[in-house]
């Protein structure tokens, strides 16, 4: 196969594909050039930066393209139904980065609870704000509410239980037997919002619907910690900022934003926000697992 890799890929996986006889081209194409370029490839491997939309698929018609692989969990940067309607298979690597994202969410939880991000920042400004940031909270004994209980949510739930948190979850799909297996029960969204001391969001993109908005924030406990390592467009950032300013939300840990790079400086520079630049799956271990899954998908494709 002739394979286009637009957003980078693990070097060992690239070497494996080349050793198996595949031709690999590593090149990023701007949106206006992507569709025409795809005509010359049997498969394309993308991550977050490249978006494969209907117009790109239309431009690629009559060419070789028959497989799109998203190196990661979500496929909201690909028009999946449109691609499959036109005979192009769409695959992703849902298992590879779950632990990495869950660990980052846990890291943001600790940062928010103990002011790690802002306290470290003030020290780099030669300040010693021991009193200001000496009023942290322990996570043990608190209730974590996980919205979206797929692989990442489940991994986070087990980590949280490991430090003594009570964990509840909400999802439109209930996995049979998972409550008994993990000791984590499903609840309705309103119950989760009213009960949780920490809320972590792990849903796919909801196509512009703001799951976290003024209405849902109003239902949360006062002083709640909010974490988002899923999709930025699921959150009304103005409402989130208002919650931080009022104290309704104690702190927020954010890895994703409605625009990336983010332009809402008032949000990401807020002293009670622990922020990272969309690095949830960016660990060496996850990238190797993603690469291995991509190799497996390509090798099994069409068999």
């Amino acid at each position: 196969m002739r394979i286009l890799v637009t957003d980078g890929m693990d070097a060992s996986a690239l070497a494996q594909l080349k050793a198996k006889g595949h031709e690999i081209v590593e090149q990023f194409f701007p949106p206006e050039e992507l569709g025409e370029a795809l005509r010359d490839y049997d498969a394309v491997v993308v991550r977050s930066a490249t978006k494969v939309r209907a117009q790109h698929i239309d431009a690629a018609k009559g060419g070789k393209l028959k497989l799109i692989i998203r190196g990661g969990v979500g496929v909201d940067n690909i028009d999946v139904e449109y691609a499959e309607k036109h005979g192009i298979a769409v695959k992703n690597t849902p298992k590879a980065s779950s632990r990495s994202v869950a660990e980052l969410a846990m890291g943001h939880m600790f940062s928010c609870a103990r002011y790690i991000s802002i306290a470290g920042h003030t020290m780099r400004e030669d300040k010693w704000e021991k009193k200001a940031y000496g009023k942290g909270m322990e996570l043990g004994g608190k209730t974590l509410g996980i919205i979206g209980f797929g692989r990442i949510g489940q991994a986070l739930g087990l980590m949280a239980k490991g430090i003594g948190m009570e964990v509840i979850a909400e999802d439109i799909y209930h996995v049979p037997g998972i409550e008994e297996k993990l000791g984590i029960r499903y609840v309705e969204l309103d119950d989760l919002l009213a009960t949780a001391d920490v809320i972590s969001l792990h849903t796919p993109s909801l196509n512009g619907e703001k799951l976290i908005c003024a209405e849902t924030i109003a239902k949360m406990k006062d002083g709640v910690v909010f974490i988002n390592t899923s999709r930025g467009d699921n959150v009304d950032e103005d409402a989130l900022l208002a919650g931080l300013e009022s104290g309704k939300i104690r702190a927020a840990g954010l890895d994703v934003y409605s625009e990336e790079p983010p332009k809402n400086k008032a949000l990401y520079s807020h002293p009670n926000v622990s922020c990272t630049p969309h690095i949830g799956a960016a660990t060496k271990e996850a990238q190797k697992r993603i690469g291995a899954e991509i190799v497996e998908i390509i090798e099994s494709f069409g068999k």
Side-chain angles (χ1 to χ4, degrees):
M1 296 175 71
R2 190 163 193 253
I3 303 167
L4 174 65
V5 177
T6 64
D7 302 330
M9 189 172 157
D10 177 67
S12 61
L14 288 171
Q16 286 182 59
L17 289 173
K18 291 174 183 177
K20 293 174 183 291
H22 301 291
E23 180 186 353
I24 309 297
V25 176
E26 295 182 80
Q27 185 176 348
F28 177 82
F29 287 92
E32 63 273 14
E33 298 176 15
L34 179 63
E36 187 67 26
L38 291 176
R39 295 171 60 88
D40 298 327
Y41 296 91
D42 300 288
V44 58
V45 179
V46 306
R47 290 191 61 194
S48 298
T50 298
K51 295 172 175 54
V52 185
R53 299 303 186 198
Q55 65 266 29
H56 303 125
I57 294 164
D58 285 340
K61 285 178 182 176
K64 302 167 64 176
L65 186 66
K66 52 184 176 285
L67 174 63
I68 302 170
I69 303 174
R70 159 73 162 100
V73 178
V75 289
D76 45 278
N77 56 325
I78 301 166
D79 285 349
V80 177
E81 289 186 12
Y82 196 81
E84 292 178 340
K85 178 182 175 182
H86 289 84
I88 301 169
V90 179
K91 305 289 185 182
N92 66 340
T93 59
K95 298 178 287 185
S97 59
S98 298
R99 182 172 184 87
S100 294
V101 179
E103 286 190 3
L104 182 66
M106 179 63 77
H108 277 299
M109 286 165 55
F110 279 114
S111 181
C112 289
R114 298 302 302 273
Y115 304 108
I116 294 171
S117 179
I118 184 61
H121 177 76
T122 57
M123 286 194 69
R124 287 188 288 274
E125 294 180 335
D126 296 322
K127 298 176 183 177
W128 186 252
E129 305 281 3
K130 183 178 175 70
K131 288 186 178 179
Y133 303 118
K135 299 177 182 177
M137 73 175 191
E138 294 182 0
L139 292 175
K142 302 299 189 299
T143 298
L144 169 63
I146 299 173
I147 302 175
F149 203 50
R151 289 184 177 90
I152 296 170
Q154 291 167 28
L156 176 62
L158 288 175
M159 291 178 196
K161 282 174 64 69
I163 63 166
M165 297 188 80
E166 174 77 19
V167 183
I168 55 178
E170 187 276 338
D171 200 302
I172 58 172
Y173 176 71
H174 288 198
V175 180
I178 200 75
E179 292 177 291
E180 295 78 13
K181 179 181 178 181
L182 301 184
I184 297 170
R185 60 189 173 89
Y186 286 109
V187 298
E188 296 298 319
L189 180 59
D190 281 356
D191 292 335
L192 183 148
L193 295 172
T195 304
D197 302 293
V198 181
I199 294 173
S200 194
L201 188 61
H202 297 282
T203 59
S205 178
L206 301 175
N207 298 317
E209 180 186 346
K210 304 300 182 185
L211 180 58
I212 304 302
C213 58
E215 181 182 356
T216 49
I217 289 171
K219 296 177 181 179
M220 297 177 185
K221 291 177 71 172
D222 291 344
V224 68
V225 170
F226 173 71
I227 309 294
N228 188 15
T229 56
S230 59
R231 290 293 181 264
D233 61 359
N234 291 340
V235 176
D236 181 333
E237 291 185 346
D238 290 337
L240 177 60
L241 182 58
L244 287 161
E245 293 287 355
S246 71
K248 176 73 175 182
I249 298 174
R250 169 194 174 95
L254 306 175
D255 186 50
V256 291
Y257 311 87
S258 60
E259 290 182 270
E260 295 185 359
K263 295 179 181 177
N264 193 340
K265 188 172 183 178
L267 178 62
Y268 68 74
S269 64
H270 193 282
N272 290 344
V273 170
S274 172
C275 54
T276 46
H278 202 155
I279 57 170
T283 63
K284 292 182 289 185
E285 295 85 354
Q287 294 313 304
K288 284 189 176 298
R289 291 192 294 266
I290 288 171
E293 275 199 65
I294 290 171
V295 171
E296 184 180 327
I297 289 168
I298 290 171
E299 286 300 287
S300 62
F301 183 72
K303 287 186 179 180

